[in-house]
Amino acid sequence: MAYSDKVLDHYNNPRNVGSLDKNDPRVGTGMVGAPECGDVMKLQILVDEETGVIADAKFKTFGCGSAIASSSLATEWVKGKTLDEALKIKNTEIVNELALPPVKIHCSVLAEDAIKAAIEDYKRKRAAREALAGKAS
Amino acid sequence: MSHFRQTVECWQCGHPAEHSLFCRYCDSLQRPTADYFRFFGLEPRLKIDAANLEKRFYELSRLLHPDRYLRKSPTEQQYSLEATAILNDAYRVLRNPVARAEYVLRQAGVESLEPRARTLDPALLAEVFELNEALEEFRGGDRSVRPALEQARERFLAQRGEIDAGLESLFERYDESRAPNVLAEIRKLLDRRKYVQNLIEQLDRELATESTDAATSD
């Protein structure tokens, strides 16, 4: 299959590969996967507690070029956004940006779900911490 | 069973042929049905008697063999070729529980789930992720992860065993109830099984290449 130039660019020079400490309270981790093709994607965000803005994002994806490019792009896009803004990122925007063919749309869905899962994880951790702090005081 | 009741006439003598392979009146070979269960004269059940299926397969192989039709009409010669092809496909599918279930689901119109994220449970995802990381190191030449990969393979084999046991009991439940929600559960387990099976095959490939490397480099 022919990949678009943008997919190749992200595939050859993936942005923000790596991982953040998942035990850091400011870090949210999203892990998603597609049962059919066996892709797994981990996307992490680091939230600035003062401003509520995503200060950093990292990913690691095992899968095809489109899955890697979709998650690479997703980390670029979430950086500098608030959680609410990041939640608005739609897989169709990823499809358009990377010119993904129909058979690779599920890769963009994975990336969108990974963002959402990372944000959920962060919020869950924050809520748990606040509940704990409430009990302590 | 309504399944068997549609009336079809024998192409030779015009008597009702009732979807059997041979006409009851003139014994001529009929146009074979493409329905695998009906072809074997079985009810469409998920649990079937493997020994009986095998026995039927050998009987039918003999009865339908094109050599038996060399002196018969061109119509029967043609039907025997078609029937032999269907027989082989049907046997391959029906004797394998996973292929059989896939066939029943396809007939019932139950499609595979959307490859939507989070249909897999997080524990399995985390395990697959770690496995991929270990495989990456392994390919990079780090032999120390080999025991971990072998353990992972054992775990996935055990998981496949659990899935198969789960399928077995769902098959029974479906045969008793014919409930569509049981088919949906079977679909889910089959998707999970495919995923686990892919992982096992991937591990087998990687572990095999490594041992050949070691064998040739000595």
Side-chain angles (χ1 to χ4, degrees):
Chain A
M1 171 170 354
Y3 284 122
S4 72
D5 289 345
K6 279 184 175 154
V7 170
L8 287 174
D9 178 36
H10 277 278
Y11 180 70
N12 291 321
N13 311 293
R15 331 294 198 254
N16 311 310
V17 175
S19 55
L20 301 166
D21 176 9
K22 69 176 195 301
N23 297 317
D24 184 329
R26 300 166 301 160
V27 169
T29 302
M31 181 100 83
V32 294
E36 282 299 311
C37 53
D39 291 355
V40 266
M41 190 179 280
K42 183 172 82 172
L43 191 149
Q44 294 181 298
I45 53 169
L46 175 77
V47 181
D48 182 328
E49 308 263 74
E50 302 271 294
T51 59
V53 166
I54 297 172
D56 198 7
K58 296 276 182 212
F59 84 95
K60 181 135 195 201
T61 293
F62 296 100
C64 65
S66 302
I68 291 167
S70 295
S71 35
S72 169
L73 180 66
T75 54
E76 276 201 318
W77 278 359
V78 296
K79 272 204 230 177
K81 285 195 165 69
T82 65
L83 297 180
D84 287 339
E85 286 165 353
L87 279 173
K88 290 200 190 97
I89 295 171
K90 288 273 163 286
N91 81 293
T92 46
E93 299 169 69
I94 297 172
V95 171
N96 291 336
E97 176 68 19
L98 296 176
L100 295 180
V103 292
K104 292 293 177 184
I105 287 174
H106 68 272
C107 298
S108 67
V109 173
L110 272 186
E112 182 194 321
D113 285 356
I115 297 173
K116 296 206 155 77
I119 293 173
E120 264 173 39
D121 181 57
Y122 169 74
K123 287 183 171 169
R124 202 167 36 238
K125 279 162 86 174
R126 193 179 55 188
R129 204 154 26 113
E130 280 163 5
L132 212 61
K135 230 183 275 172
S137 65
Chain B
M1 288 244 71
S2 61
H3 185 69
F4 289 99
R5 212 174 282 150
Q6 280 156 288
T7 49
V8 178
E9 285 167 1
C10 170
W11 62 274
Q12 182 83 291
C13 69
H15 280 94
E18 292 161 356
H19 279 302
S20 47
L21 286 165
F22 299 94
C23 174
R24 280 197 291 146
Y25 298 87
C26 71
D27 209 32
S28 55
L29 181 59
Q30 302 297 300
R31 175 187 288 280
T33 170
D35 182 304
Y36 294 167
F37 287 101
R38 196 186 275 160
F39 190 96
F40 271 92
L42 296 169
E43 287 192 29
R45 296 173 72 87
L46 284 170
K47 280 202 84 160
I48 60 180
D49 178 348
N52 180 48
L53 183 78
E54 190 185 12
K55 198 172 124 244
R56 284 288 290 157
F57 172 70
Y58 287 116
E59 268 168 26
L60 290 172
S61 301
R62 252 193 330 274
L63 289 173
L64 298 169
H65 200 285
D67 285 357
R68 289 173 68 106
Y69 296 86
L70 292 174
R71 290 150 169 276
K72 299 279 176 92
S73 68
T75 309
E76 277 180 287
Q77 288 181 15
Q78 180 57 33
Y79 286 168
S80 105
L81 287 174
E82 288 174 21
T84 306
I86 297 172
L87 174 70
N88 290 320
D89 288 343
Y91 184 55
R92 204 184 53 238
V93 166
L94 293 186
R95 73 182 198 181
N96 175 325
V98 170
R100 183 166 72 234
E102 289 284 358
Y103 179 73
V104 169
L105 289 171
R106 207 161 49 242
Q107 301 287 90
V110 181
E111 295 301 321
S112 199
L113 296 170
E114 280 287 290
R116 188 84 207 181
R118 274 178 274 177
T119 47
L120 285 172
D121 66 83
L124 178 60
L125 275 176
E127 196 171 353
V128 171
F129 196 87
E130 276 168 32
L131 173 68
N132 274 297
E133 283 187 321
L135 276 172
E136 204 174 57
E137 286 161 27
F138 191 61
R139 282 188 214 110
D142 182 353
R143 302 287 137 123
S144 69
V145 293
R146 190 180 174 96
L149 293 178
E150 276 164 356
Q151 278 163 21
R153 184 174 170 278
E154 291 301 314
R155 274 200 308 280
F156 288 123
L157 284 173
Q159 279 196 26
R160 190 179 67 188
E162 280 167 32
I163 292 169
D164 287 346
L167 281 171
E168 181 97 3
S169 71
L170 284 172
F171 286 178
E172 264 169 44
R173 264 173 63 200
Y174 179 71
D175 286 341
E176 282 160 20
S177 66
R178 301 270 140 181
N181 66 317
V182 181
L183 283 186
E185 280 182 55
I186 292 173
R187 177 72 274 157
K188 254 190 253 171
L189 263 194
L190 284 174
D191 284 345
R192 200 186 153 98
R193 188 185 197 282
K194 203 180 286 172
Y195 195 68
V196 170
Q197 180 64 26
N198 283 342
L199 293 170
I200 293 170
E201 282 168 20
Q202 195 186 351
L203 279 167
D204 282 345
R205 267 197 311 276
E206 300 281 351
L207 291 168
T209 26
E210 200 264 345
S211 40
T212 356
D213 287 354
T216 47
S217 64
D218 282 340

